[in-house]
């Protein structure tokens, strides 16, 4: 066997190219192209102008809340039924629907989709109907905490959080069971070893 030829030396390694700066994320799409809506407030009012539920998703002062509620009542409750359910007000829109004796009013941004908002109102009414069984104004008067709970499961921070009725109603059922379950801790005496408080 003949010996192997000697190995030729390896060429020197070329230096690595300098690292490129990290790519910046693409700019967010404009909100008007987004299918979501930004809800600023939700109001449920009776025909007499009594507020049965009010949820605010922007930082309004008490004076501003009262002014908006009064403006909504003046414009929505006196509006003829044959007119459309959209009202422009400053940089907002009032989108409303009437169910029996209650007006469900959503305040949204001016560029938001009115039909999607109407669909959201109807969805919330269906959730209330499923939970209460043909919901009426009196249900919201005596069980307002349940209505707020259902609304919080549906809308969080002005954005629609969940669009599944089953999930929202299941969460409400769990919440009711927790409220009705007896306390697991014993209270032998104020400040005692077995007392939680």
């Amino acid at each position: 066997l003949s010996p192997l030829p000697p190995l030729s030396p390896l060429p020197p390694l070329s230096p690595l190219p300098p690292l490129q700066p990290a790519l910046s994320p693409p700019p967010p799409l404009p909100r008007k192209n987004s299918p979501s809506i930004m809800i600023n407030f939700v109001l449920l009012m009776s025909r007499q102008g009594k507020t049965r539920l009010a949820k605010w998703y922007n930082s309004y002062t008490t004076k501003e809340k009262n002014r908006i509620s009064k403006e909504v009542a003046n414009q929505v409750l006196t509006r003829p039924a044959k007119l459309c359910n959209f009202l422009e007000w400053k940089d907002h829109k009032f989108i409303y629907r009437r169910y029996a004796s209650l007006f469900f009013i959503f305040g949204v941004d001016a560029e938001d989709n009115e039909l999607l908002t109407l669909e959201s109102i109807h969805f919330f009414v269906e959730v209330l109907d499923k939970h209460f069984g043909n919901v009426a104004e009196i249900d919201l008067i005596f069980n307002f905490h349940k209505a707020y709970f259902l609304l919080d499961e549906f809308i969080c921070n002005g954005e629609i959080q969940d669009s599944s009725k089953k999930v929202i109603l299941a969460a409400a059922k769990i919440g009711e069971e927790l409220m009705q379950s007896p306390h697991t801790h014993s209270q032998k005496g104020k400040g005692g070893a077995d007392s939680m408080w």
Side-chain angles (χ1 to χ4, degrees):
L1 291 175
S2 59
L4 292 171
L7 294 172
S8 59
L10 292 171
L13 293 173
S14 58
L16 291 172
L19 291 173
Q20 297 292 326
L23 295 174
S24 59
L29 292 172
R31 286 217 54 247
K32 62 184 176 184
N33 294 337
S34 171
S36 67
I37 53 175
M38 178 61 202
I39 299 163
N40 297 298
F41 57 85
V42 174
L43 295 173
L44 268 63
M45 286 186 169
S46 68
R47 283 180 299 181
Q48 293 76 31
K50 300 272 186 187
T51 303
R52 299 304 182 197
L53 183 144
K55 189 78 175 180
W56 305 89
Y57 299 104
N58 268 344
S59 54
Y60 297 108
T61 63
T62 305
K63 190 176 180 181
E64 287 172 326
K65 289 177 184 178
N66 292 335
R67 183 171 51 83
I68 291 171
S69 297
K70 191 175 180 182
E71 190 70 30
V72 167
N74 287 340
Q75 293 204 30
V76 171
L77 303 183
T78 59
R79 193 169 167 85
K82 61 183 178 182
L83 297 181
C84 79
N85 296 20
F86 317 142
L87 279 169
E88 291 188 4
W89 182 73
K90 297 187 179 178
D91 57 342
H92 291 74
K93 274 190 269 194
F94 300 151
I95 316 291
Y96 70 94
R97 273 184 98 162
R98 181 180 168 184
Y99 292 88
S101 62
L102 281 174
F103 286 87
F104 289 73
I105 305 150
F106 281 27
V108 298
D109 289 344
E111 70 272 8
D112 281 333
N113 188 324
E114 298 94 344
L115 297 178
L116 185 59
T117 309
L118 275 177
E119 193 62 35
S120 302
I121 292 172
H122 187 68
F123 178 87
F124 181 53
V125 172
E126 285 182 335
V127 168
L128 290 172
D129 261 346
K130 289 261 186 189
H131 184 74
F132 291 107
N134 199 12
V135 66
E137 186 177 347
I138 196 138
D139 294 318
L140 301 180
I141 293 170
F142 290 107
N143 298 292
F144 62 90
H145 58 286
K146 294 180 183 179
Y148 276 107
F149 186 87
L150 291 166
L151 183 60
D152 288 340
E153 287 295 317
F154 175 43
I155 300 170
C156 181
N157 200 28
E159 298 280 347
I160 292 173
Q161 176 177 297
D162 209 320
S163 59
S164 167
K165 292 188 197 92
K166 282 185 180 179
V167 172
I168 294 171
L169 293 168
K173 188 177 178 184
I174 292 169
E176 281 189 355
E177 287 171 359
L178 287 172
M179 284 174 56
Q180 292 171 358
S181 65
H183 295 292
T184 54
H185 63 277
S186 61
Q187 295 184 358
K188 288 188 176 176
K190 203 168 184 180
D194 292 335
S195 176
M196 199 171 169
W197 309 107

